[in-house]
Amino acid sequence: MPKIVTEDIGKFSQHYPKVAVIVTASARGRDDAMTVAWHSSISFKPPLYGIAVAPKRFTYQLIMESREFGINFIPSDKASLAAAIGGTLGQQMDKFERFNIEKEKPLKTTAPIFKDAYAAYECKLVDGKPYGDHIWIVGEIVAVHFLKEAFTQAEVIDLDKIKPLLYIGSDYYASADKNSVSFVKRGI
């Protein structure tokens, strides 16, 4: 099948899928959450994690004030919640109250942790640099919350028990199934 080659960049950012996460922050007595598809592990030592956030977002403001944030990995059956969070302005309402989001107590930060997350990171802000219309925010992971049953002994998500939420672009969500998994050894 031939590929289209063009200089018209268009929606290049829609070349997904990517795991959708919920980024959380708290400052001034306000909690907020936003759905993020642009994120990544950056380093093992120290354990660094990055997210791309538009500076106009309320969650960004709270992260800059508190200097901490949470990364919440939620299962695919929470796609409606991810879409609702992503489509609602935090400055105008308390998303936790509006969407009945249950929280767990964080261990080392004030960032809310989703009770329904199968894994979550508490991060302390390390750096933030603008790249185009987003800020690449880097945090050091200072605490990890995870549902032990959601992972295999090899510390890989168990797709029999958890279906990760994948964002495939243009407000569509999907998940992975265990039949699509294959182990491929690296190298020659």
Side-chain angles (χ1 to χ4, degrees):
M1 178 180 304
K3 293 181 184 173
I4 295 174
V5 179
T6 179
E7 290 181 18
D8 177 18
I9 303 303
K11 285 185 145 188
F12 77 93
S13 64
Q14 299 294 346
H15 298 160
Y16 290 106
K18 297 187 186 305
V19 172
V21 298
I22 307 297
V23 172
T24 54
S26 183
R28 293 181 274 130
R30 296 278 314 269
D31 291 344
D32 198 35
M34 65 180 287
T35 305
V36 173
W38 297 348
H39 59 94
S40 180
S41 299
I42 302 170
S43 168
F44 288 120
K45 292 182 183 181
L48 299 177
Y49 206 88
I51 56 175
V53 180
K56 66 183 178 183
R57 300 288 175 223
F58 185 55
T59 306
Y60 171 77
Q61 295 170 21
L62 297 181
I63 291 170
M64 290 298 106
E65 289 178 35
S66 66
R67 314 226 15 106
E68 27 185 63
F69 59 95
I71 305 289
N72 296 269
F73 295 84
I74 60 174
S76 65
D77 64 357
K78 299 293 180 188
S80 294
L81 177 62
I85 289 169
T88 306
L89 297 175
Q91 289 172 317
Q92 297 176 353
M93 74 173 58
D94 180 337
K95 294 180 190 179
F96 288 87
E97 184 178 304
R98 170 76 169 89
F99 302 121
N100 298 313
I101 301 168
E102 292 185 68
K103 300 180 250 183
E104 289 182 357
K105 186 173 170 46
L107 185 64
K108 295 208 163 197
T109 68
T110 60
I113 301 300
F114 276 40
K115 184 176 182 179
D116 287 339
Y118 60 85
Y121 305 150
E122 293 181 48
C123 299
K124 295 275 190 178
L125 184 66
V126 172
D127 197 12
K129 289 192 182 337
Y131 291 94
D133 59 1
H134 279 62
I135 308 295
W136 184 249
I137 296 172
V138 177
E140 181 172 355
I141 300 169
V142 295
V144 175
H145 304 243
F146 67 98
L147 184 63
K148 187 174 183 177
E149 307 82 54
F151 297 89
T152 67
Q153 287 183 331
E155 298 181 347
V156 174
I157 192 164
D158 186 337
L159 294 176
D160 281 330
K161 296 180 180 160
I162 296 289
K163 305 284 186 250
L165 180 60
L166 302 178
Y167 182 69
I168 60 173
S170 298
D171 292 329
Y172 287 94
Y173 292 87
S175 192
D177 67 71
K178 72 174 188 166
N179 296 325
S180 65
V181 176
S182 59
F183 176 78
V184 180
K185 188 173 174 128
R186 294 188 279 175
I188 299 174

